[in-house]
């Protein structure tokens, strides 16, 4: 949940500061959720880095086409929205469970 | 492998191909009266040849295979005072038809816009998918 909170803050994480992946593939449901979240986060970060790199290339004048830059930015946007949507719903489901009267 | 971003990639390749088409058309228009080239002789109009790039079953991208020179005969214009005229006083002018080039330019622009619409539509589809369950 701490990882999810940091993602909701919307920070673009540098892979150097991201802790090395400690997930191992097991069939434990709790571990599977952690694995999926970890993979998704890395994928979002990868798109984000590609988009930053594309914008840098364009503004420094390297021969990069304008539409490729815009598409890299849109990809990062879509994947980030998807990730935050999924995280939000997961957190809501958790809250609903915790609010159940015993 | 086919996912939401496949259409983005195909659209991007289409836009790049049309940009190349615009570049060759611009070159043809700029050189409509060029009588001197490095290989000797007048400028020959250039045409890009497009080729499919297989991405998935039924999904093909596009790329420029090569840019060929139109081998049609140059126009001969009678101008004995021109430094590049031949023995009979005719100058070989490029085989570029300005009207045809303008039409090519318009088609390239429309195709570029259409590919940009593809990409916009991908974004809209993604947004509506992400809005499932919000209502």
């Amino acid at each position: 949940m701490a990882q999810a909170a940091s993602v909701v803050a919307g920070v673009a994480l540098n892979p150097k500061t991201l802790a090395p992946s400690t997930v191992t593939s097991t069939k434990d449901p709790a571990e599977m959720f952690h694995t999926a979240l970890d993979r998704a986060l890395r994928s979002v970060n990868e798109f984000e880095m590609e988009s930053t790199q594309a914008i840098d290339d364009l503004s420094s004048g390297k021969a990069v086409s304008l539409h490729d830059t815009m598409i890299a930015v849109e990809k990062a946007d879509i994947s980030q929205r998807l990730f935050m949507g999924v995280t939000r719903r997961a957190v809501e489901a958790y809250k609903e469970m915790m609010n159940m009267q015993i | 492998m086919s996912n939401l971003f496949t259409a983005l990639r195909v659209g991007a390749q289409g836009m790049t191909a049309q940009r190349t088409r615009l570049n060759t058309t611009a070159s043809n228009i700029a050189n409509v009266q060029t009588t001197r080239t490095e290989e000797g002789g007048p400028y020959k109009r250039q045409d890009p040849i497009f080729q499919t790039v297989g991405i998935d079953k039924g999904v093909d991208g596009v790329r420029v295979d090569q840019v060929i020179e139109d081998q049609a005969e140059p126009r001969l214009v009678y101008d004995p005072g021109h430094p590049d005229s031949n023995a009979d006083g005719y100058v070989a002018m490029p085989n570029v038809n300005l009207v045809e080039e303008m039409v090519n330019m318009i088609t390239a622009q429309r195709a570029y816009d259409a590919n940009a619409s593809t990409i916009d539509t991908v974004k809209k589809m993604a947004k509506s998918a992400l809005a499932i369950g919000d209502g």
Side-chain angles (χ1 to χ4, degrees):
Chain A
M1 277 306 151
Q3 278 180 320
S6 72
V7 166
V8 168
V11 175
L13 299 171
N14 188 326
K16 289 193 179 64
T17 60
L18 199 58
S21 179
T22 56
V23 295
T24 56
S25 55
T26 70
K27 289 297 174 198
D28 184 6
E31 280 300 308
M32 279 174 71
F33 178 71
H34 181 209
T35 311
L37 208 58
D38 188 77
R39 255 206 332 251
L41 177 55
R42 279 171 204 282
S43 159
V44 168
N45 191 40
E46 204 180 291
F47 281 131
E48 175 79 36
M49 304 241 330
E50 269 176 33
S51 128
T52 318
Q53 185 60 44
I55 294 174
D56 281 346
D57 283 347
L58 189 66
S59 26
S60 70
K62 275 173 69 172
V64 162
S65 51
L66 180 60
H67 55 267
D68 282 331
T69 306
M70 292 302 296
I71 287 166
V73 169
E74 289 302 319
K75 269 172 148 173
D77 187 43
I78 291 174
S79 68
Q80 189 145 25
R81 279 177 202 266
L82 170 66
F83 186 80
M84 284 175 61
V86 167
T87 311
R88 185 165 49 86
R89 283 170 174 76
V91 170
E92 275 173 19
Y94 171 77
K95 281 192 180 144
E96 263 196 55
M97 297 284 287
M98 294 308 282
N99 283 342
M100 279 167 66
Q101 302 287 354
I102 299 175
Chain B
M1 194 249 134
S2 173
N3 60 11
L4 188 67
F5 291 155
T6 304
L8 272 185
R9 196 168 138 205
V10 172
Q13 288 181 350
M15 287 173 94
T16 308
Q18 292 306 323
R19 253 242 331 233
T20 309
R21 182 126 176 261
L22 181 67
N23 288 346
T24 52
T25 306
S27 162
N28 292 341
I29 291 176
N31 286 299
V32 71
Q33 287 178 340
T34 301
T35 50
R36 298 177 188 177
T37 56
E38 275 163 8
E39 311 89 44
Y43 175 84
K44 290 200 174 82
R45 87 173 269 278
Q46 313 207 322
D47 239 346
I49 304 289
F50 296 129
Q51 191 190 12
T52 57
V53 171
I55 291 176
D56 201 358
K57 197 148 176 290
V59 177
D60 288 317
V62 66
R63 69 180 188 91
V64 175
D65 193 26
Q66 56 173 166
V67 177
I68 59 162
E69 284 183 348
D70 192 344
Q71 297 303 328
E73 289 298 314
R75 287 183 304 124
L76 290 173
V77 175
Y78 185 69
D79 188 4
H82 197 281
D84 292 324
S85 55
N86 62 11
D88 299 326
Y90 283 94
V91 183
M93 295 292 256
N95 51 355
V96 172
N97 181 350
L98 267 185
V99 172
E100 197 183 312
E101 299 303 324
M102 287 301 295
V103 169
N104 285 343
M105 199 158 70
I106 292 171
T107 8
Q109 186 205 342
R110 295 280 175 248
Y112 192 86
D113 285 344
N115 280 298
S117 294
T118 306
I119 291 159
D120 276 342
T121 308
V122 168
K123 180 95 198 273
K124 287 192 187 119
M125 279 188 173
K127 271 196 174 150
S128 49
L130 286 168
I132 289 175
D134 274 349

